[in-house]
Amino acid sequence: MIRLTTLLAACLAGMAATVAARPAPTDAVSAGVAGVAGMDSARDIVLAVDNPLAPATTHPGSSLIGYTPPSTYSAGQRARSLLADLRKRYGWNEMGGWPIRALGLYCIVLRPPAGVDRDTLLAALARDARVQLAQPLQDYTVYASPGTEAPHRYNDPYTDLQHGFVDTQAAVAHAVTQGDGVRIAVVDTGADTAHPDLKGHVTVTGDAVAADDPAFAADRHGTEVAGVIAAVGDNHQGMVGMAPKASLDVYKACWYPEPNAGARCNSFTLAKALGAVGDTDARIVNLSLGGPADPLLDKLLSHLLAQGRIVVAALPPDGDAHGFPDDAPGVIVVRSASATPAPPGVLSAPGNDILTTQPGGGYDFTSGSSMATAHVTGIVALLLAVSPRLDARRVHDVLLDTSTVTHGMRQVNAAAAVESVSR
């Protein structure tokens, strides 16, 4: 008994040695990730041959070990022999193989030998009775919507309170652009250029009203507009603008007649400011103001538009766009988003309860189409940073076509607009 056991162990050891010395079989794991990545649908072929699962023949006296069915379905001896004959005949290079139990087939991906055309080899394989299937390797794709990069989380503490910034998905757009290199002219009141969220972003200032620096810095409306457009991001301070890496030129053409009154401008101050803008390379002009038609201002505005500037203007509170600057052809007109439909061609943007910068380094909420206009100006800067040659008509159409419904109101969407231009 001991002798028989020793003989059996020796036989098993010999079999193990034989199996270990044999080349690895072609089976389901013969092509790893690297092999699959190396397959080429322009050249490679899928080929299948019969792969029946049949027990091995037993012989008298072999019952000591007996027959154990294979635990996995792989390439049987018949398929191996057949593939070896076919490979010798056609000279292909095998890229990988796998069994298909349900069909009783073994498939491989092969590459024609050098100098052999794939279609020629396919035709030859189709005529070979030993081949069950031969076809080109083809590419497929999953039917899933493209993912978007996660929005950047700013460290500015009031970002979540900026519903205009959040609703327009500006943080998603910032994964692509933050308005780098785009210059914006803001014709408005003065602004607090020393505000922590504006400092360093206002590169040029002009005062068409009076040479009064303290009054310039104390002006509220221009500070609010500038903050919405380009407040500095990730400075652990306050908020972040729609285009935080754009640069601003602030031209004071409007002033406050009384401390608690609204700001006012006139043809003279506005003409001086617009004339100054014409001498710069600012691509965008923000006009969060309006009034009656004016021949001089219309001429200046037409000149700016002819230079390729993109002018963004606020719709009057009464919704009647028949004055300066909203009635000029080529001007992008913006209203505060509302549940009611916008006039034809007018864009809608967040304009109610907008958190923004205030003189003296503060922050507060404000409302009006002026703020809606500032949101759109910021988005235009994002678009120009991606595609500098965009003109006003194309920008308008992109913003209108990519607007989405948020909180029951259709309004501009920074992320969708940037994606459209990038694509």
Side-chain angles (χ1 to χ4, degrees):
M1 185 66 176
I2 295 175
R3 185 177 181 181
L4 180 59
T5 303
T6 303
L7 179 61
L8 176 58
C11 290
L12 290 174
M15 289 177 62
T18 302
V19 171
R22 187 180 302 161
T26 302
D27 56 23
V29 295
S30 64
V33 174
V36 171
M39 294 177 183
D40 185 351
S41 62
R43 292 188 292 170
D44 298 343
I45 292 172
V46 177
L47 178 139
V49 296
D50 281 330
N51 188 34
L53 179 58
T57 305
T58 59
H59 303 280
S62 65
S63 58
L64 177 65
I65 299 177
Y67 168 72
T68 303
S71 59
T72 58
Y73 179 72
S74 60
Q77 185 58 46
R78 178 176 172 181
R80 292 180 189 280
S81 298
L82 186 53
L83 285 171
D85 290 343
L86 289 168
R87 186 182 303 113
K88 184 177 180 180
R89 167 70 177 83
Y90 297 105
W92 66 58
N93 298 303
E94 186 173 327
M95 308 296 293
W98 72 103
I100 305 177
R101 181 191 292 270
L103 301 179
L105 297 175
Y106 191 85
C107 295
I108 66 167
V109 173
L110 62 91
R111 182 161 298 169
V116 176
D117 177 71
R118 182 172 72 169
D119 290 341
T120 301
L121 181 55
L122 276 170
L125 292 172
R127 293 191 297 267
D128 195 311
R130 299 169 293 177
V131 174
Q132 296 299 313
L133 177 145
Q135 66 167 65
L137 178 71
Q138 302 190 84
D139 285 332
Y140 292 85
T141 185
V142 296
Y143 294 133
S145 299
T148 57
E149 189 169 342
H152 176 69
R153 288 293 300 175
Y154 284 94
N155 60 36
D156 307 274
Y158 300 153
T159 303
D160 290 340
L161 298 177
Q162 296 178 248
H163 79 84
F165 181 87
V166 174
D167 290 350
T168 59
Q169 296 189 321
V172 176
H174 287 179
V176 179
T177 170
Q178 295 186 27
D180 309 59
V182 178
R183 188 174 179 183
I184 302 167
V186 177
V187 177
D188 208 287
T189 68
D192 181 7
T193 60
H195 193 292
D197 258 337
L198 295 174
K199 191 174 182 179
H201 274 226
V202 180
T203 56
V204 173
T205 58
D207 194 339
V209 178
D212 188 341
D213 292 341
F216 189 103
D219 284 347
R220 185 176 68 254
H221 193 268
T223 304
E224 293 170 343
V225 169
V228 171
I229 296 172
V232 180
D234 277 338
N235 62 347
H236 298 278
Q237 174 75 38
M239 56 177 286
V240 59
M242 297 296 291
K245 291 188 177 178
S247 63
L248 297 178
D249 299 345
V250 178
Y251 297 92
K252 181 172 180 174
C254 309
W255 69 97
Y256 291 93
E258 298 174 8
N260 296 322
R264 59 176 292 188
C265 331
N266 63 27
S267 299
F268 174 71
T269 57
L270 285 171
K272 287 175 66 178
L274 293 176
V277 172
D279 293 331
T280 72
D281 62 355
R283 279 296 314 278
I284 307 169
V285 183
N286 187 97
L287 296 173
S288 290
L289 50 86
D294 184 286
L296 174 60
L297 297 182
D298 287 343
K299 286 181 179 295
L300 285 166
L301 191 57
S302 296
H303 178 67
L304 291 174
L305 292 168
Q307 291 178 324
R309 324 274 182 162
I310 298 175
V311 179
V312 187
L315 186 71
D318 62 4
D320 187 11
H322 289 97
F324 171 85
D326 45 77
D327 195 34
V331 171
I332 296 174
V333 182
V334 186
R335 69 159 193 168
S336 294
S338 169
T340 59
V346 174
L347 300 176
S348 298
N352 295 316
D353 297 323
I354 303 301
L355 180 69
T356 186
T357 46
Q358 297 292 333
Y363 302 85
D364 204 352
F365 292 90
T366 188
S367 298
S369 59
S370 289
M371 300 305 113
T373 302
H375 279 94
V376 170
T377 292
I379 299 175
V380 175
L382 300 181
L383 299 182
L384 290 182
V386 173
S387 183
R389 294 187 179 183
L390 288 172
D391 60 18
R393 178 180 292 276
R394 175 62 178 150
V395 166
H396 171 270
D397 291 347
V398 167
L399 291 172
L400 190 62
D401 293 344
T402 59
S403 293
T404 56
V405 177
T406 306
H407 308 304
M409 300 178 291
R410 186 170 180 82
Q411 54 191 3
V412 291
N413 186 305
V418 169
E419 180 187 12
S420 176
V421 170
S422 300
R423 186 173 61 240

